[in-house]
Amino acid sequence: MIDRALRLVPDEYASLTPRLITVTAAQALSQAAAYCLLVPVLEALFDGDTGMAWFWTAIMAVVVAVMGVLTFLQATLGLRIAVGMQLGLQTRLGDKLNALPLGWFETQNAAQLSRIVVDNVREIQGAVAYLTAKLITSVLVPLGVAVGMLFVDWRIAVAMLIAAPVLFAVNRLGNRAFLRADERTHVAAAEAETRVVEFAQAQPILRAFGAVGSGNRALDCALEAQKKAATRNVVSAVTGVIVFGLVVQAVFLALTYVVVGQVTGGTVSAAAAIALIAVSARFIEPLNQAAQIGNALRSASASVDGASDLLAEPVLPEHDSPVALGAPEVVFESVSFGYDAESPVVSDVSFTVAPGTTTAIVGPSGAGKTTLLRLVARYADVDSGSIRVGGHDVRTQPTETLLNQLSLVFQNVYLFDRSIAENIRVGRPDASDADIRWAGAIARVDEIADRLPDGYDSPVGEGGTTLSGGERQRVSIARALLKDAPIVLLDEATSALDPHSEAVVIRGIHELTKDKTVIVVAHRLATIAHADQILFLDGGRIVEHGTHDELLALGSRYAGFWNERARSRGWRLDSAPA
């Protein structure tokens, strides 16, 4: 795990890692040397040789001073890496998220992404900067003590060298069960976080259908699963610590037995025996700490995996070479695409949207209409065929160049937890306040701002929760107006709006699409009828293509669709007969 964690250290701090390891190793060996020097100091004191006692004490003081300096350097390097890693790794993860295809986010768990970027980075930071140093110390101090004991009594040294791997083996066996339990805990925690966020955001729906309290089975099950996973984790950890602690005590007793045996055999003096028992205790202590460090490292392992997996996600090939854009035209040539190889969403789709014209895409739910819009914006790359925007394949354009040609107004409007003005300014970050108010006036956002205490500076809440659906659409149209891109991709979202909101949004859409190249997934009959061309999509294929009048005269799929929509406009609830 350590090697994978070290690979996550930002490049500008990577050179500090070998220095941290070197300093930590030197500090651990100096610590071991200080423990070993206790033997000649006590022997000299018991023999009454004051001169030699002071000599060995002076050497020990120098070693301890060196150890103090190295400890300071180790802490300083660890802190620099920790601070740099938090910012550097989060920036790297942010850059990765920015480079991933837009379609990737539609299948991801927002709570899990937040956990990776915030909580997991913190755990990785601690693992690299602090736990790595402690792990090195827990290995090198016992090893250094064992080697130092070779100069005192080889039998004690051999006993220590045998005891160390035995303890590590026992610790490793206990780790496996804990690691499996810890992985289940991470999965359960992510699910619980998702359900808690869902529970908070969906209160109106949950209360309307009585799915609160004991009625919210999804949240209850997630919390219960998290509780069980945490319980198993604690049991595994405690069991491992208890077993390892017992083995540690057994090893210490065995070393004490060996030392006492050497005293009774006359091989080691009583003074040396006292020192050796003290040194044995110091030999055992880092090994005991290794178990606790191992638990922390295993916990960090899941965090390393999460960050590494995110960084390993494939991104769409990016072209940095500038392109000379032509007219705002969109061309589909034999386009096929599926989110997986077995289930194509669109198949062999070809059509052209001439500059300044409107193309309406209609058809039943699941036909692939919204997917066509998203492919224009390169949410994903097509499996076969090509899409040209402004005369160039979208795959050969820099992402910024492609998106600068497009204004996107989709059904699901997301607003940031900022002010109305800041949400509109997303359309053009360098826009002035006057520009924002111009776009807001056209989209009738000014009506919203006028009723709020801080006007355009009023916060809209997370996801725009303080605004209605129609009001969020107005803000979305205002930022698209502000961007003023030559091509508009519009997934109309007026069917769920009240008549006033629908009328306001439609006026904004008319202003947005004036003199623009427009591709619209159409729901309103007026939008369909006035389109320059209509594509009827079914099963991922264009089954009919033409103007409104041409398709009505054909009397086939589109005509039936039109008639059904026309009849639904007059639908009403009649009172039940008495």
Side-chain angles (χ1 to χ4, degrees):
M1 192 282 293
I2 291 295
D3 60 329
R4 289 183 289 116
L6 292 177
R7 286 198 292 268
L8 297 176
V9 176
D11 293 339
E12 58 268 34
Y13 293 95
S15 61
L16 297 180
T17 304
R19 291 166 59 183
L20 174 64
I21 294 173
T22 301
V23 169
T24 302
Q27 190 270 350
L29 293 176
S30 63
Q31 186 177 348
Y35 295 156
C36 293
L37 286 170
L38 185 61
V39 176
V41 169
L42 287 180
E43 280 191 318
L45 287 175
F46 272 72
D47 291 341
D49 191 343
T50 306
M52 288 302 297
W54 278 112
F55 172 76
W56 288 114
T57 301
I59 294 177
M60 181 185 290
V62 171
V63 171
V64 170
V66 170
M67 183 180 70
V69 173
L70 293 173
T71 301
F72 174 79
L73 292 176
Q74 172 193 315
T76 302
L77 288 170
L79 181 61
R80 290 179 61 188
I81 293 174
V83 173
M85 188 166 191
Q86 181 173 13
L87 177 61
L89 183 54
Q90 287 181 331
T91 300
R92 187 178 170 191
L93 290 169
D95 291 341
K96 181 68 177 187
L97 291 173
N98 195 45
L100 288 169
L102 296 174
W104 181 85
F105 294 91
E106 297 182 355
T107 61
Q108 298 305 307
N109 183 313
Q112 180 66 13
L113 288 177
S114 174
R115 187 180 181 88
I116 290 173
V117 176
V118 180
D119 297 338
N120 288 12
V121 167
R122 192 178 298 115
E123 288 191 20
I124 297 168
Q125 170 189 8
V128 172
Y130 304 114
L131 295 181
T132 301
K134 289 184 178 180
L135 183 63
I136 292 172
T137 300
S138 68
V139 172
L140 288 185
V141 168
L143 183 61
V145 170
V147 172
M149 289 302 98
L150 287 171
F151 298 95
V152 178
D153 187 281
W154 67 270
R155 287 170 288 266
I156 297 173
V158 169
M160 289 182 173
L161 291 173
I162 293 174
V166 169
L167 288 172
F168 279 116
V170 172
N171 187 37
R172 187 173 181 82
L173 289 174
N175 287 347
R176 294 179 181 176
F178 177 84
L179 184 58
R180 289 191 295 270
D182 193 59
E183 290 173 353
R184 290 192 293 266
T185 301
H186 274 273
V187 173
E191 176 66 14
E193 288 177 8
T194 301
R195 296 306 174 195
V196 169
V197 172
E198 183 180 73
F199 179 76
Q201 292 179 339
Q203 277 296 303
I205 296 175
L206 293 172
R207 294 190 186 189
F209 291 94
V212 294
S214 59
N216 193 339
R217 294 182 57 83
L219 177 60
D220 291 342
C221 290
L223 293 176
E224 183 64 25
Q226 184 184 27
K227 175 185 175 183
K228 291 180 179 178
T231 301
R232 287 193 295 266
N233 198 356
V234 171
V235 170
S236 298
V238 171
T239 302
V241 170
I242 291 175
V243 171
F244 187 77
L246 292 174
V247 175
V248 166
Q249 294 304 316
V251 168
F252 178 68
L253 290 175
L255 289 175
T256 303
Y257 177 79
V258 171
V259 171
V260 172
Q262 298 308 306
V263 173
T264 56
T267 307
V268 175
S269 66
I274 295 172
L276 286 173
I277 292 174
V279 170
S280 296
R282 305 305 298 169
F283 169 82
I284 290 295
E285 182 182 354
L287 293 175
N288 203 13
Q289 290 178 347
Q292 302 172 12
I293 297 168
N295 287 342
L297 288 173
R298 286 188 300 277
S299 179
S301 180
S303 298
V304 172
D305 290 340
S308 299
D309 291 345
L310 177 55
L311 292 172
E313 283 289 339
V315 299
L316 297 179
E318 178 69 22
H319 290 263
D320 297 327
S321 302
V323 295
L325 296 176
E329 179 184 63
V330 179
V331 179
F332 277 65
E333 288 188 354
S334 303
V335 169
S336 294
F337 170 78
Y339 294 102
D340 56 70
E342 293 75 22
S343 305
V345 179
V346 294
S347 302
D348 196 27
V349 171
S350 298
F351 64 91
T352 298
V353 184
T357 66
T358 296
T359 293
I361 304 175
V362 299
S365 297
K369 304 184 295 296
T370 300
T371 296
L372 291 181
L373 290 188
R374 292 175 176 176
L375 288 175
V376 175
R378 207 185 177 199
Y379 270 50
D381 278 343
V382 300
D383 296 330
S384 62
S386 66
I387 301 172
R388 295 199 303 277
V389 173
H392 297 272
D393 193 312
V394 296
R395 292 168 294 191
T396 64
Q397 301 184 40
T399 298
E400 184 177 2
T401 300
L402 172 64
L403 295 180
N404 281 343
Q405 301 171 76
L406 308 175
S407 284
L408 286 67
V409 181
F410 286 166
Q411 288 182 356
N412 297 323
V413 177
Y414 185 87
L415 300 183
F416 299 96
D417 189 10
R418 299 176 187 171
S419 68
I420 294 174
E422 288 175 300
N423 273 283
I424 295 175
R425 189 174 270 115
V426 170
R428 197 174 79 229
D430 61 348
S432 67
D433 291 343
D435 293 332
I436 290 172
R437 281 167 172 74
W438 166 80
I442 295 176
R444 298 295 187 270
V445 177
D446 52 357
E447 295 179 0
I448 306 170
D450 289 343
R451 68 173 175 78
L452 295 175
D454 296 321
Y456 277 91
D457 293 326
S458 300
V460 300
E462 184 180 358
T465 52
T466 64
L467 305 181
S468 69
E471 290 171 337
R472 289 195 294 271
Q473 276 290 6
R474 295 193 217 180
V475 175
S476 175
I477 291 170
R479 63 189 179 193
L481 282 164
L482 190 65
K483 185 176 183 180
D484 194 28
I487 300 172
V488 177
L489 306 180
L490 180 64
D491 195 347
E492 283 187 356
T494 59
S495 58
L497 303 181
D498 62 83
H500 173 70
S501 294
E502 181 179 7
V504 170
V505 169
I506 289 170
R507 284 198 297 270
I509 290 174
H510 285 166
E511 291 294 331
L512 172 65
T513 58
K514 188 182 297 183
D515 303 322
K516 299 290 196 303
T517 302
V518 181
I519 305 178
V520 54
V521 172
H523 305 287
R524 296 179 58 254
L525 298 182
T527 303
I528 301 171
H530 291 94
D532 295 290
Q533 68 172 339
I534 300 168
L535 311 177
F536 193 92
L537 202 68
D538 193 11
R541 295 179 180 273
I542 298 176
V543 296
E544 291 181 16
H545 177 203
T547 65
H548 173 67
D549 292 336
E550 290 170 345
L551 294 177
L552 281 183
L554 187 63
S556 185
R557 300 290 300 277
Y558 175 78
F561 174 83
W562 175 267
N563 292 331
E564 286 291 335
R565 285 301 176 101
R567 281 195 298 269
S568 69
R569 294 187 68 181
W571 181 87
R572 69 182 187 276
L573 283 174
D574 290 329
S575 59

